[in-house]
Amino acid sequence: MKEHLPLNPQALDLDEPAGGLSSYPPADRWDDWTEYDPAQWPKKVEKHYSLIPTICFNCEAACGLLAYVDKEKMQVQKFEGNPAHPGSRGRNCAKGPATINQINDPERILYPMRRAGKRGEGKWERVSWDEVLDDLAARIRLALQEGRKNEIMYHVGRPGHELIYNQRVLHSWGIDGHNSHTNVCSAGARTGYAFWHGFDRPSPDHSKARFILLLSSHLEAGHYFNPHAQRIIDGKMDGAKVCVIDTRLSNTASKADYWLSTWPGSESAVLLAMCNVLLQEDLFDREFVRRWVNWEEYLREEHAAKPQTFETFLEVIKQTYARYTPEFAAQESGADARTIVEVAREVGRAGSALSTHVWRNAAAGNLGGWQVARALEFLAVLVGAVGTPGGTSPSAWNKFIPTPPMMPPPPNAWNELMWAREYPLAFFEMSFLLPHFLKEGRGKLALYFSRVYNPVWTNPDGLSWIEALTDESKVERHACLTPTWSETAWFADYVLPMGHASERHDLMSQETHAARWIGFRQPVLRVALEKRGKKFNSTYEAHREAGLGEVWEEDEFWIELSWRVDPDGSMGIRRYFESPYRPEEKIRIDEYYRWIFENSVPGLPQAAASEGLNPLAYMQKYGAFLVENNVYELHRKALKPEEMRGSTVDPVTHVVKKNGAPIGVQIDGEPVAGFPTPSRKLEFYSKTLKDWHWPEHSIPGYIKSHVHRDNIDAAEGEMLLLPTFRLPTLIHTRSGNAKWLYEISHKNPVWIHPQDASRLSIVTGDLVRVQTAIGYFVDRVWVTEGMRPGIVACSHHLGRWRLKEDFGGERWSTALVDLKQVERGKWMMRTIHGIQPFESSDPDSSRIHWEDAGVHQNLTFPVQPDPISGQHCWHQKVTVTKAGAEDRYGDVFVDTNRAHEEYHRWLQMTRAAPGPDNLRRPLWMIRVYRPAPEAFYLP
């Protein structure tokens, strides 16, 4: 490794300061940190800051931030990284510091707003929080009293806190009301991983890997990309090689040792070809496979007539996967067969130090994409890289979710508006199908909450969402909890201002590396004011004093709302929101987190005591805590004698059960924890898939995508649209009010290969019309060899819009559009003008120099749910033509009648519940906001 030298060579001549250099302000000086005011340069004018830790909210990684609160003005001056945060280690991407743009956004919503006209008309009036809470509480109370539990729905995109907080709320109400964004995000990958080991996410140990295999652009835009990118670079600096499988030449692919540009949907064929190389060349870990894979069950169920030995299993799988030759994979994918073999041998040499990851990318784009994750995990299993240093662990091993006080029991409720019978194995709620379910009359909503979610813009088929949200017979009341206007908020009844990253309390924990940690998001101005001795009953009172209107936080909102739903405690709800320290009184938010930190986080009370602090004060000071480091191979954990007492061991499966529930498995006579699967082993063979009507997919395999080459008629001008890639500076719709980020990224042109550009007689900057199954959009092209012939690509992060000139959308990022229903179900959107300078309290708004807002392609996509995972399959079969004389940049046309027809076409692919024992869903599978066991059974 080369010695790191300063950028300015003259620095070598400087004397080292006493005590050495420091990368970050030391924590013991955070209460009064001094810097020179850069606005006063060249004068040296000192500014005093209180440095208060919180958590970034501009992606899912939950990186640590330090808010620099000006002690004179009591305003946040800037955000930098928190060096005490175990995941991000003080380092942030561009989105973290841009939080300052969001909290200072001159167009942010500061007070609760209520619709004063028709939905979508754009007429609003300011109301008090009391008016909002009383109305919503009355509607919830009436629905519960009348037995309409399934008419209350909370629909969240990125919650910003661990699911268990809001689970307390909804379960206290006795409802199955949680809806999420997962099936437009990661359901495909989750399904593939869960069928292997019961956990639905991977946790790669990149920094200790010898070979890193990535599907997608992880260095710039992957899941948890900042913490992962740091550790990928750590691994590479220590000699690891990197292979990227990605159709597009991403920044990550350009820096990799191997880049395989595959036809979308062919990735599992490539991965299974690598598995075949490992098997045929005996480059796999025989002992790991023998001990930890459920090969005995596979032979019993599928090859009962053959000798029931491990050697038989190896013979069978070598024969089974022999057809996945490198040549076959090359034919399917377009990747080079020799490179496939070379990468497979690199995997074999890496052995247990193989780190892998797929999240969206191929798993989210394709019919059968869940098999991509399953094939990728097959590689890891073959070389024994499961839970090992440098390998890939199940996610839950590297997350920590502390138990809260007063957890209500799970309700006997099942909401088929989210958990439809047609999708019994889905991960998770079929959220993006809600407009179609409502259109079919499957139910209605008395109260719909949307939170950090913008389905009109983010989801496919957004105009079907507009049709549903403007129909008061389907959605009676819609409360949108958001810090900013959005395309969805515009059609709500209430727009309720919730805080940004530094304006609320949350707990976070993500599987960033081989450790367990928690991060504490806190409202920094409230903390700063309380350090001065001031006290507040709520965060919105603190924000009011700090000049932030009545911006609230969700944690306190749910406490107050639940208290008003059951004001006298007669419904049994109120008791879950009483203080654990002051009986029968309403819990305060500091008491909630105080109880967790005192009772549910191992080691935290001791660490706090060592510094003379209580646990809450410790977390308020540091903002994060490392619960456990170097977490590996938890499946090998031996069951304790007290756990074994009273247990039984199945003589055939070797599963250890206690009180009828599996607690482990015997491996070579030793009782160990194993994995949370039916066999307690890694399930190469899934009897669940067989029992739930999908026997042909019971082992890792290759499912031809809906956009397989065979389904694309190139002679008729058909192409494949890849719309899934992210930009490193943006995150869905949460970053629309970050001026720095939009100055960097504000275009999403259609990537097209020179061969296709030549065929269409177009050059970079020309307009094209991209026709989908339900409509079209018009965008400019970028001609590049970074895309395969026959495929076009367009990032989903741009294309924001608003319907009024001066409000209703962030003017840093939205175009003003005209949206009309030209016929029943036929919608036309045309841009009136792009982004323009505007006058505001921020002088930068008059300096806007960019006009492009991008194009909203998602409106033109029909829903395409995978029949097993429930994942929306994002890739589209399209026709690309040169734009006509009538076409304008940003044009969008959609026929929602055709969209509903496409919904029915995909619905016909499903194989509905019930499964064994009249179950709605396998009892062993993960189910968020899990209801009572009896709810799993159909009546």
Side-chain angles (χ1 to χ4, degrees), residues 358-521:
V358 62
W359 198 233
R360 298 179 183 96
N361 188 269
N366 299 285
L367 176 68
W370 58 277
Q371 282 281 33
V372 177
R374 207 161 172 225
L376 181 62
E377 186 68 5
F378 191 16
L379 267 182
V381 170
L382 283 175
V383 295
V386 179
T388 52
T392 305
S393 295
S395 57
W397 295 2
N398 298 148
K399 286 175 70 82
F400 185 79
I401 303 177
T403 302
M406 304 165 293
M407 197 69 186
N412 183 9
W414 192 283
N415 195 333
E416 291 194 359
L417 279 177
M418 300 176 293
W419 299 89
R421 298 186 189 189
E422 291 92 340
Y423 300 92
L425 305 178
F427 276 73
F428 294 113
E429 306 93 341
M430 298 304 299
S431 61
F432 62 99
L433 299 186
L434 181 61
H436 297 282
F437 289 166
L438 294 173
K439 189 172 186 176
E440 289 182 331
R442 296 193 186 201
K444 69 179 179 70
L445 297 176
L447 184 54
Y448 176 69
F449 293 98
S450 57
R451 168 64 178 135
V452 197
Y453 198 43
N454 187 4
V456 168
W457 187 87
T458 302
N459 281 7
D461 191 18
L463 288 160
S464 288
W465 278 88
I466 290 179
E467 291 178 353
L469 293 176
T470 52
D471 187 340
E472 295 188 45
S473 69
K474 294 182 173 63
V475 181
E476 294 176 357
R477 185 67 91 221
H478 175 193
C480 184
L481 284 66
T482 176
T484 60
W485 287 105
S486 71
E487 291 81 352
T488 298
W490 190 254
F491 298 97
D493 299 302
Y494 288 111
V495 178
L496 307 178
M498 294 293 162
H500 283 294
S502 60
E503 297 168 344
R504 63 182 200 268
H505 291 93
D506 292 321
L507 272 184
M508 291 299 301
S509 181
Q510 302 291 20
E511 61 276 15
T512 55
H513 61 296
R516 290 174 171 171
W517 55 265
I518 57 169
F520 188 36
R521 183 180 284 120

Side-chain angles (χ1 to χ4, degrees), residues 461-680:
D461 191 18
L463 288 160
S464 288
W465 278 88
I466 290 179
E467 291 178 353
L469 293 176
T470 52
D471 187 340
E472 295 188 45
S473 69
K474 294 182 173 63
V475 181
E476 294 176 357
R477 185 67 91 221
H478 175 193
C480 184
L481 284 66
T482 176
T484 60
W485 287 105
S486 71
E487 291 81 352
T488 298
W490 190 254
F491 298 97
D493 299 302
Y494 288 111
V495 178
L496 307 178
M498 294 293 162
H500 283 294
S502 60
E503 297 168 344
R504 63 182 200 268
H505 291 93
D506 292 321
L507 272 184
M508 291 299 301
S509 181
Q510 302 291 20
E511 61 276 15
T512 55
H513 61 296
R516 290 174 171 171
W517 55 265
I518 57 169
F520 188 36
R521 183 180 284 120
Q522 52 186 340
V524 299
L525 291 179
R526 178 177 180 174
V527 173
L529 288 167
E530 289 181 339
K531 283 185 175 183
R532 292 191 167 187
K534 297 190 176 183
K535 294 296 180 184
F536 304 97
N537 292 318
S538 69
T539 295
Y540 85 76
E541 293 176 358
H543 286 161
R544 187 163 53 197
E545 175 149 337
L548 279 177
E550 293 182 354
V551 173
W552 209 359
E553 63 166 294
E554 195 175 0
D555 282 11
E556 290 182 341
F557 171 81
W558 292 118
I559 293 171
E560 186 61 36
L561 179 60
S562 299
W563 196 266
R564 296 193 188 201
V565 170
D566 184 19
D568 60 4
S570 62
M571 300 175 70
I573 295 172
R574 181 174 138 163
R575 68 177 182 266
Y576 296 109
F577 301 92
E578 294 177 353
S579 169
Y581 305 102
R582 298 174 296 112
E584 299 185 4
E585 294 189 51
K586 189 189 307 176
I587 191 171
R588 296 194 301 258
I589 200 64
D590 61 322
E591 294 176 326
Y592 177 81
Y593 288 105
R594 172 190 164 189
W595 191 95
I596 288 177
F597 296 149
E598 287 177 349
N599 297 279
S600 298
V601 184
L604 176 55
Q606 294 78 8
S610 70
E611 297 198 18
L613 300 171
N614 63 54
L616 177 60
Y618 181 97
M619 292 302 292
Q620 289 173 328
K621 177 178 180 179
Y622 292 105
F625 180 69
L626 180 63
V627 178
E628 185 178 5
N629 204 6
N630 296 316
V631 180
Y632 298 110
E633 298 186 309
L634 297 187
H635 58 293
R636 298 180 59 181
K637 184 179 179 181
L639 295 179
K640 298 176 181 177
E642 55 268 29
E643 293 175 302
M644 289 296 296
R645 194 172 298 117
S647 66
T648 60
V649 180
D650 189 294
V652 176
T653 66
H654 311 296
V655 172
V656 182
K657 290 187 176 182
K658 188 172 184 177
N659 300 322
I663 62 170
V665 63
Q666 273 195 353
I667 302 293
D668 294 339
E670 178 188 4
V672 294
F675 299 89
T677 59
S679 67
R680 303 296 292 194

Side-chain angles (χ1 to χ4, degrees), residues 68 78 92 169 236 253 270 311 340 360 383 390 413 460 484 557 566 647 652 673 695 703 734 783 875 897 902 937:
Y68 283 60
K78 63 179 177 179
N92 296 99
V169 177
K236 194 166 175 59
V270 172
E311 294 304 320
I340 293 172
R360 298 179 183 96
V383 295
T484 60
F557 171 81
D566 184 19
S647 66
V652 176
I703 299 173
R734 270 174 285 161
V783 182
H875 294 340
N897 302 307
E902 283 294 301
Y937 294 88

Side-chain angles (χ1 to χ4, degrees), residues 730-744:
L730 302 179
I731 181 68
H732 306 305
T733 64
R734 270 174 285 161
S735 50
N737 60 341
K739 61 185 180 183
W740 295 343
L741 301 180
Y742 263 82
E743 183 175 23
I744 297 169

Side-chain angles (χ1 to χ4, degrees), residues 3-14:
E3 183 180 358
H4 295 288
L5 298 175
L7 294 176
N8 188 337
Q10 293 180 1
L12 295 173
D13 299 327
L14 297 176

Side-chain angles (χ1 to χ4, degrees), residues 37 175 184 195 226 305 330 404 429 537 615 732 747 825 836 892 907:
D37 184 355
I175 68 171
V184 297
F195 280 131
N226 168 39
E429 306 93 341
N537 292 318
H732 306 305
K747 299 178 181 179
Q836 296 180 340
V892 173
L907 190 66

